[in-house]
């Protein structure tokens, strides 16, 4: 009887040592400052339900380069433009690897994704393929008419709502519009009907993934607990991934059948992918294609819709700013024809509104977690190998050292300013920066600007039930993407020509 008891005792001693070992090792290295934390769990309780805000508050105490112990995981947090530049530019290669959460690893074949794999040769090859086949200016220009059609469908739907006096869920219709745009670019089909009634399932699948993948999960901070899935994250998220793969399977199977029958190619992104795999004589290409599709659909549809919703929310809070945007559109374009992408360059104030919305409400508030591939010194501090590194884009966009009146919505700050979102100005990194910058940036910007201009041009907007602008709920709901906790609902009023 004594042997089993001794074995159990030794097991728990080993487990305890595994958890507290990083605390002893850290004393020999000059880690950045940070909160002391509790035994075993460290600073996990300090994260709360909105880690972007909690980490920003901790940075005010401990500095813009900060160490936290989150369970058994050492985490470095960057909360200023200066530190972000060190991590995402100066030491970009060292920090190009990823920490992959359990929620992301729950999907089929996660090693075939683009967003979550390490920045190795295979990743570079995939990214180069996306950059040259999908997101080049030439290809995006060739698809302008498609985006104009989707914007026209959006305006038509809102016009119908206006005629009946019904309110519009801005995030829902923006999501449906971007979803159709991406599904046409990739598959040459609409995933949502013209009345926007069939987007519900896809939206729920995407939001389940984005929300659960962003929630602090004990399985990520205590690897020995992974098998137990104590918070049920894997249990909730795995069916969503599988359902997405089923949807993509159906589309791919139909395309393969059409190609076998000699049906002419559409030239969309799926055709390009299938051609690549056929030329390489690769079998099992579905395993490689579908994770990439998941990346494209989740990142593309969700983040663009969120940015459009936040921008409209800020405009409805400041009617004078909304009026100024609309006056610019009417002066430059009028109401005789819809807004086109070629018009956006004539609308600097609209572009400033989009930038200001992304500054205050970056769609991804904590950039996807990086990992140090070796010990590295950053501004006199040691960042050990395998450390998780988080860049708080939300905090950086609200840093008073970089921005005047940082909590105010002031699009004017971007007028005649050279600060841009392309990864060169580290005080403004809504798409990230360096080699892991979002490859879909060119498409996202085109679509958000077009959608926002298209729904402002023909309509005046007001909040429902006589709500005062200052009463509009602007609370955030944290996930991989930063959504409005309460969806934005507004009433469109059709203006007479």
């Amino acid at each position: 009887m004594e042997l089993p008891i001794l074995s159990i005792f030794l097991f728990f001693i080993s487990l305890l040592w595994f958890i507290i070992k990083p605390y002893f090792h850290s004393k020999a290295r000059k880690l950045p400052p940070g909160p002391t934390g509790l035994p075993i769990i460290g600073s996990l309780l300090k994260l709360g339900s909105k880690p972007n805000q909690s980490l920003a508050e901790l940075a005010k105490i401990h500095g813009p380069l900060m160490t936290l112990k989150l369970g058994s995981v050492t985490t470095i947090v960057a909360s200023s433009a200066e530190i972000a530049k060190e991590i995402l530019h100066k030491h970009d290669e060292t920090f190009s690897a990823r920490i992959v959460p359990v929620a992301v690893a729950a999907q089929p074949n996660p090693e075939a994704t683009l967003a979550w794999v390490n920045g190795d040769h295979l990743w570079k090859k995939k990214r180069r393929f996306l950059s040259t086949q999908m997101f080049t200016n030439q290809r995006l220009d060739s698809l302008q008419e498609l985006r104009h059609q989707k914007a026209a469908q959006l305006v038509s739907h809102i016009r119908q709502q206006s005629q009946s006096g019904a309110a519009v869920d801005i995030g829902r219709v923006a999501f449906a519009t971007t979803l159709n745009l991406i599904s046409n670019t990739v598959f040459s089909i609409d995933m949502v009907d013209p009345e926007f009634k069939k987007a519900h399932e896809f939206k729920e699948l995407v939001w389940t993934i984005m929300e659960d993948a962003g929630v602090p999960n004990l399985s990520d901070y205590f690897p020995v607990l992974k098998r137990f899935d104590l918070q049920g994250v894997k249990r909730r998220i795995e069916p969503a991934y599988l359902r997405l793969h089923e949807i993509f399977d159906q589309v791919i199977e139909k395309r393969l059948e059409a190609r076998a029958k000699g049906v002419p190619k559409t030239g969309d992104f799926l055709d390009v992918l299938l051609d690549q795999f056929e030329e390489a004589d690769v079998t099992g290409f579905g395993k490689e294609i579908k994770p990439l599709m998941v990346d494209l659909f989740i990142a593309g549809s969700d983040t663009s819709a969120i940015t459009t919703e936040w921008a409209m929310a800020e405009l409805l809070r400041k009617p004078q700013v909304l009026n100024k945007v609309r006056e610019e559109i009417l002066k430059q374009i009028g109401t005789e024809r819809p807004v086109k992408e070629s018009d956006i360059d004539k609308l600097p104030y609209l572009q400033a509104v989009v930038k200001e919305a992304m500054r205050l409400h970056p769609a991804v508030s904590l950039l996807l977690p990086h990992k140090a591939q070796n010990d590295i010194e950053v501004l006199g501090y040691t960042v050990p190998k395998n450390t998780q590194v988080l860049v708080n884009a939300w905090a950086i966009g609200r840093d008073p050292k970089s921005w005047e009146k940082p909590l105010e919505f002031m699009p004017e700050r971007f007028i005649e300013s050279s600060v841009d979102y392309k990864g060169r100005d580290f005080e403004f990194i809504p798409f990230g920066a360096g080699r892991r910058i979002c490859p879909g940036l060119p498409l996202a910007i085109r679509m958000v600007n077009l959608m926002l201009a298209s729904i402002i041009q023909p309509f005046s907007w007001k909040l429902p039930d006589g709500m005062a602008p200052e009463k509009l709920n602007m609370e955030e709901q944290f996930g991989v993407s930063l959504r409005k906790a309460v969806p934005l609902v507004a009433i469109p009023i059709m203006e007479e020509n």
Side-chain angles (χ1 to χ4, degrees), residues 198-386:
K198 296 181 182 176
H200 180 73
E201 181 192 14
F202 210 99
K203 181 177 181 180
E204 289 303 312
L205 292 173
V206 169
W207 282 7
T208 295
I209 292 170
M210 294 297 271
E211 185 173 345
D212 280 330
V215 170
N217 185 1
L218 288 175
S219 296
D220 292 320
Y221 301 116
F222 299 100
V224 295
L225 300 178
K226 280 185 181 181
R227 68 174 69 181
F228 303 109
D229 191 24
L230 295 178
Q231 292 168 248
V233 171
K234 183 179 180 182
R235 195 162 55 249
R236 289 191 302 273
I237 204 170
E238 196 168 33
Y241 279 123
L242 292 174
R243 177 59 184 141
L244 283 181
H245 277 243
E246 285 177 6
I247 294 171
F248 297 149
D249 267 331
Q250 294 167 7
V251 177
I252 293 170
E253 187 62 33
K254 287 181 180 179
R255 181 62 57 84
L256 290 174
E257 290 175 0
R259 287 163 75 103
K261 293 176 182 177
V263 175
K265 297 177 182 179
T266 62
D268 58 20
F269 191 55
L270 179 56
D271 269 339
V272 174
L273 279 171
L274 292 174
D275 287 344
Q276 289 283 323
F277 280 99
E278 285 180 2
E279 289 174 11
D281 195 24
V282 175
T283 58
F285 53 79
K287 289 183 178 181
E288 296 292 326
I289 288 177
K290 286 180 288 184
L292 185 57
M293 298 296 182
V294 171
D295 277 354
L296 290 172
F297 275 86
I298 289 180
S301 57
D302 192 52
T303 55
S304 295
I306 283 172
T307 300
T308 303
E309 184 178 21
W310 278 118
M312 276 300 291
E314 290 288 1
L315 290 173
L316 285 163
R317 285 182 79 205
K318 287 197 170 184
Q320 71 277 16
V321 179
L322 177 55
N323 290 336
K324 187 173 179 179
V325 177
R326 191 157 189 267
E327 286 172 4
E328 178 184 63
I329 295 171
L330 297 182
K331 180 180 178 182
Q332 294 295 329
I333 302 160
T335 57
E336 297 299 316
R337 64 171 179 83
V339 178
K340 296 182 179 180
E341 277 190 12
S342 56
D343 296 319
I344 300 301
D345 286 342
K346 307 175 203 171
L347 306 174
Y349 196 68
L350 172 86
Q351 294 180 64
V353 165
V354 171
K355 289 180 180 179
E356 181 71 340
M358 290 192 296
R359 180 188 71 82
L360 280 171
H361 311 285
V364 181
S365 58
L366 295 178
L367 301 185
L368 301 187
H370 294 253
K371 180 174 71 174
Q373 299 189 78
N374 49 262
D375 288 359
I376 186 75
E377 184 175 299
V378 177
L379 297 180
Y381 294 103
T382 298
V383 177
K385 181 179 180 180
N386 293 326

Side-chain angles (χ1 to χ4, degrees), residues 57-69:
E57 289 301 313
L58 287 171
K60 293 177 182 178
I61 300 170
H62 301 285
L65 184 63
M66 174 175 64
T67 303
L68 287 89
K69 294 292 184 180

Side-chain angles (χ1 to χ4, degrees), residues 149-193:
Q149 291 173 13
K150 300 308 155 191
Q153 289 178 2
L154 171 62
V155 171
S156 176
H157 174 75
I158 294 175
R159 185 176 290 113
Q160 292 177 22
Q161 299 295 98
S162 175
Q163 290 169 352
S164 64
V168 174
D169 184 328
I170 300 295
R172 186 180 73 84
V173 297
F175 179 89
T177 300
T178 54
L179 176 57
N180 268 351
L181 170 73
I182 293 170
S183 64
N184 272 276
T185 302
V186 177
F187 296 139
S188 297
I189 60 173
D190 279 344
M191 286 252 177
V192 183
D193 64 296

Side-chain angles (χ1 to χ4, degrees), residues 88 127 137 307 344-345 347-348 350-359 362-363 367 393 403 414 417-434 436-450:
L88 302 176
R127 186 182 175 92
N137 284 329
T307 300
I344 300 301
D345 286 342
L347 306 174
L350 172 86
Q351 294 180 64
V353 165
V354 171
K355 289 180 180 179
E356 181 71 340
M358 290 192 296
R359 180 188 71 82
L367 301 185
W403 304 97
F414 285 102
S417 168
S418 62
V419 174
D420 211 340
Y421 39 66
K422 297 179 180 178
R424 295 186 293 267
D425 302 296
F426 291 88
E427 66 268 38
F428 185 48
I429 49 173
F431 293 97
R436 300 308 297 241
I437 192 170
C438 175
L441 184 159
L443 176 60
I445 287 300
R446 288 180 184 228
M447 197 58 195
V448 172
N449 279 316
L450 180 63

